[in-house]
Amino acid sequence: MLAAVGGWLRDRAGLLRKLQWAVVLVYAFLLIVPACLELPEDSARMWNNLTIFAQFVFWGIWWPFVLLSMVLFGRLWCGVLCPEGALSEWAARKGLGRPIPRWMRWGGWPFVAFVLTTVYGQLVSVYQYPKAALLVLGGSTVAAVAVGFVYTRGKRAWCRHLCPVNGVFGLLSKLAPMHYRVDEAAWKQSQQKRERVAAVDCAPLQPLRHMQGGSGCHMCGRCSDHRGAIELSLRSPSDEVVRVAEREADGWQTALIVYGLLGVAMGAFHWTMSPWFVSLKQTAAEWLVDKDIMWPLDTGAPWWLLTHYPQHNDVFSWLDGAALITYVATTALALGSGILACLALAVCAAGRWQTRRLHHLAQALIPLAGCGVFLGLSALTVTLLKAEGVPMQWANHARLLLLAGANLWSLHLARGIMRHWGGSAARYLALLPMLAALALVDCAWGFMFWWW
Ligand code: SF4
């Protein structure tokens, strides 16, 4: 069945392209038109105001459910529906066709791009204001087209190296129960027959013959049945994390999981609810007033640098911006370092210290990290639905269930990784520091949804 789906995708390139252009049009409409309209009144609702409707579509549905789709279907979204990927590939067909430069191949981009976009998005209130959304999402799209136009001939250099969510999507898709499986023996056989086979136009430039996991694959289906060796197949959702990640996990992926998804993203979701943020700001403001340093309290920064909507009584001072960055950075450092220490302890307890094992074990946290981003983004979905009068009392129970499931999944992966490492049964003692890492993350969510 699945192999047939892969073949269907491969044979419907024209239809998929039309679908991509349709998504591009909807995306452009929802991004550009609200930014040209007046901001909605407090009484405006989703069903009578395009700005609120677009806000709900982008942040309430689009983003959380695209994340969920990664876990269910791998990066099908990237290959079939993503407007940015489609535009970048289209531009690359028309463009200069230069080779991908060395700086773009730097492995730290997924982490750096994610952190910068997340923090900047908070500074300009990207979830709340359409101009900010146009700047952040539209800016990313313009960059994707520019990179596509300059580099490669018809490939997706942007998606593979620079897209701010490439790293996150790559991590989440490791949990998908399906991937394009490569049968290396069948590939070799086909080569020995000296058959002439057309090359596959793999837009994200995957090393097809040796492709083991699905984290870089956009699931577009173009390589389906290539040399009779590639097939869309089911797999265990643990397989890539337990088996493949042993070789492929690296320090940047660990940084993205521990300091990015479980650190910076957590701080970005936290600060609006946090009483600690309020006291940080108050203490700093009192100190500044005492010292007669008044310029940080000025609220004259432009909207594209710091939130500035006086008509809605929503303006950030320089102090607000600095406090936000300090709060997010402190959360990321404290939480990330605590989790990293637990992981290091677990690696030592499981046998001997190896940095490679630390990166491997960090991958067990992907379910909890992904669940966290889903919960954080869907908090806005819940708020918007509440404003529409939809009863949402069940939301906290659902959050608890999701968190419990993600914890169990992460623990299951950690156990699988330790079993894969081999050694005596005593290595499972390492699950104790792993539990401590999970508890740290759970506490952070506990504050956000239950205790504050
Ligand atoms: S490996 Fe490349 S061509 Fe094959 S499905 Fe993935 S993205 Fe498409």
Side-chain angles (χ1 to χ4, degrees), residues 147-163:
V147 166
F149 187 78
V150 177
Y151 300 107
T152 78
R153 182 70 66 205
K155 305 295 182 206
R156 295 187 176 195
W158 168 264
C159 309
R160 177 165 173 155
H161 296 290
L162 297 176
C163 168

Side-chain angles (χ1 to χ4, degrees), residues 180 200 202 204 206 208 211 217-223:
Y180 280 87
V200 175
C202 175
Q206 290 305 288
L208 294 184
M211 190 170 64
C217 164
H218 286 193
M219 305 292 275
C220 66
R222 291 178 201 172
C223 64

